[in-house]
C-alpha cells in the first residue's frame, strides 16, 4: 500500500458536489420531459429551451466533469498533469478517428452533431477529453490496488473504462442519438467488438499514464475523491437508463463496476486511511481553535 494518503480539500468536495447536483438535475429533466414530452409546457419559449438544453446537456456534463477534475489536478499538481492529458487525448482521438472512418477498433459508427464541433470532421472535440476524465481516476484506483504490478493495474484500469461503456453506450446511442451504430449487436444495438476496442484503447492510455506516472504523482491525489468522481460521472448514463426503465443495462453496469471494485479491493484500505487522516485533521483544527 502507498504510505502517503491524502484527504479531499473543501474546494474539491464542493466541485464534486456541484457535478453531482448538475447530474441529478439533468437526469430528472430527462425523466420528466424527454420521456414524458406531454409534461412540457406547450409554449414556444419552453419548446425552444428544451431543444437547446437537450442538445447541450451532454456537452455541459463533460465540461463540468473536466472542471471538477481540474480543481484537484491544478491544486495539487500545478501543470504537471497536462502532458498526460494531451497524450491520452491524442490516443483517444486516434482510436475514435479510426473507428469513425474505418470501423477499427470499435466497429462502424458515426457521431451526430449533438456533441458539438468535430475534429477531422468525424470526432467531437469533447470525446477524447472524456477518455482522460475517466481514465485518470481509474488508473489512480488501480495504482492504489496494485502498487507493485504495472501489468495488473493497466488491465484493471482499462476494464474500469469498459465498465463505464456498459452504461454509456446504451444511454448515449440507444436512448439518445449522440452516435449511431452502422455495425449492430445484441446489447442495445452495440456490437461486441466495441468492448474489445474500449479495452485495447484503455490499455494504451493506461500504459501512457504509467509512463508519465512520476509527473502525475498519484500518491498526492485523494483516492476516495477519485473513486467518487468516477461514480459521479457514471451516474449520468446510469441515471438515464434507470429513468427509462432499462434495468438490464443498469444491472450489467453495476456488475461490471462491482467486478472491477472487487479486483481493486486493496485500494479501499488506502481510502479508509484517508478517512482516518481527514478525521484527525478536523479534530486537530478543532483543538487548535478551542479556548
Amino acid at each position: 500500500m502507498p504510505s502517503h494518503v491524502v484527504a479531499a480539500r473543501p474546494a474539491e468536495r464542493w466541485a464534486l458536489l456541484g457535478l453531482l447536483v448538475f447530474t441529478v438535475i439533468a437526469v430528472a429533466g430527462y425523466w420528466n420531459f424527454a420521456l414524458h414530452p406531454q409534461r412540457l409546457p406547450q409554449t414556444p419559449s419552453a419548446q425552444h429551451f428544451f431543444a437547446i438544453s437537450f442538445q447541450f446537456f451532454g456537452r455541459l456534463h463533460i465540461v463540468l466533469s473536466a472542471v471538477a477534475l481540474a480543481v484537484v489536478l491544478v491544486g495539487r499538481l500545478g501543470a504537471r498533469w497536462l502532458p498526460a492529458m494531451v497524450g491520452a487525448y491524442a490516443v483517444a482521438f486516434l482510436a475514435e478517428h479510426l473507428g469513425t472512418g474505418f470501423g477499427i477498433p470499435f466497429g462502424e459508427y458515426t457521431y451526430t452533431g449533438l456533441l458539438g464541433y468535430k475534429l477531422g470532421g468525424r470526432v467531437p472535440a469533447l470525446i477524447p477529453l472524456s477518455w482522460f476524465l475517466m481514465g485518470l481516476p481509474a488508473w489512480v484506483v488501480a495504482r492504489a490496488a496494485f502498487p507493485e504490478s504495472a501489468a495488473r493495474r493497466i488491465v484493471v484500469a482499462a476494464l474500469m473504462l469498459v465498465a463505464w461503456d456498459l452504461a454509456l453506450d446504451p444511454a448515449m446511442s440507444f436512448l439518445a442519438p449522440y452516435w449511431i451504430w452502422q455495425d449492430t449487436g445484441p446489447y442495445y444495438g452495440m456490437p461486441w467488438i466495441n468492448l474489445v476496442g474500449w479495452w485495447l484503447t484503455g490499455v494504451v492510455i493506461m500504459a501512457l499514464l504509467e509512463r508519465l506516472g512520476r509527473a502525475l504523482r498519484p500518491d498526492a491525489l485523494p483516492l476516495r475523491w477519485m473513486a467518487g468522481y468516477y461514480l459521479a460521472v457514471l451516474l449520468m448514463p446510469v441515471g438515464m437508463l434507470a429513468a427509462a426503465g432499462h434495468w438490464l443495462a443498469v444491472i450489467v453496469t453495476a456488475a461490471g463496476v462491482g467486478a472491477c471494485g472487487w479486483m481493486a479491493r486493496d485500494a479501499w484500505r488506502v481510502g479508509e486511511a484517508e478517512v482516518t487522516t481527514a478525521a484527525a485533521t478536523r479534530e486537530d483544527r478543532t483543538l487548535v481553535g478551542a479556548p
Side-chain angles (χ1 to χ4, degrees):
M1 288 290 106
S3 58
H4 180 63
V5 294
V6 293
R9 297 167 178 169
E12 296 165 350
R13 291 194 291 268
W14 280 110
L16 186 57
L17 178 61
L19 177 61
L20 282 169
V21 169
F22 170 81
T23 300
V24 170
I25 292 173
V27 170
Y30 172 78
W31 171 79
N32 196 42
F33 297 121
L35 296 179
H36 304 92
Q38 70 277 9
R39 297 177 180 175
L40 189 68
Q42 300 302 307
T43 63
S45 58
Q47 297 287 334
H48 182 65
F49 175 79
F50 175 76
I52 292 177
S53 62
F54 187 78
Q55 182 177 2
F56 285 102
F57 92 98
R59 305 183 204 180
L60 187 55
H61 183 251
I62 297 174
V63 171
L64 291 178
S65 299
V67 170
L69 186 60
V71 169
V72 173
L73 297 180
V74 173
R76 294 178 182 269
L77 303 180
R80 288 190 293 270
W81 57 279
L82 290 175
M85 185 195 72
V86 172
Y89 191 102
V91 170
F93 170 75
L94 178 60
E96 295 276 2
H97 196 64
L98 289 173
T100 52
F102 305 99
I104 299 171
F106 308 110
E108 293 187 9
Y109 64 104
T110 55
Y111 283 101
T112 65
L114 290 178
L115 288 173
Y117 174 75
K118 297 179 183 179
L119 296 173
R122 296 205 297 262
V123 181
L126 290 173
I127 286 295
L129 176 62
S130 68
W131 281 84
F132 173 74
L133 298 181
M134 286 295 263
L136 181 63
W139 178 72
V140 170
V141 170
R143 285 273 304 187
F146 307 105
E148 306 299 331
S149 176
R152 288 185 179 182
R153 55 183 175 253
I154 287 173
V155 168
V156 172
L159 286 174
M160 289 179 68
L161 286 179
V162 175
W164 174 39
D165 190 52
L166 292 174
L168 190 66
D169 236 290
M172 302 303 178
S173 179
F174 184 81
L175 291 181
Y178 286 95
W179 57 87
I180 299 172
W181 286 103
Q182 279 75 55
D183 288 340
T184 58
Y187 185 70
Y188 296 93
M190 179 193 73
W192 292 121
I193 192 175
N194 180 53
L195 298 180
V196 177
W198 267 74
W199 186 76
L200 291 175
T201 304
V203 165
V204 176
I205 290 175
M206 300 310 163
L208 174 68
L209 295 181
E210 284 288 327
R211 182 72 175 176
L212 301 173
R214 185 171 299 178
L216 285 172
R217 295 177 56 208
D219 289 351
L221 301 175
L223 174 65
R224 284 176 63 88
W225 190 97
M226 287 288 176
Y229 172 86
Y230 172 91
L231 294 175
V233 176
L234 181 66
L235 180 61
M236 177 67 87
V238 169
M240 291 175 62
L241 291 166
H246 291 289
W247 294 106
L248 174 62
V250 174
I251 293 170
V252 169
T253 301
V257 173
C260 291
W262 182 84
M263 287 185 284
R265 60 193 179 277
D266 286 346
W268 313 131
R269 298 178 186 174
V270 180
E272 291 170 0
E274 287 184 351
V275 172
T276 303
T277 300
T281 300
R282 288 193 295 269
E283 183 177 353
D284 290 345
R285 289 174 179 170
T286 301
L287 292 174
V288 169

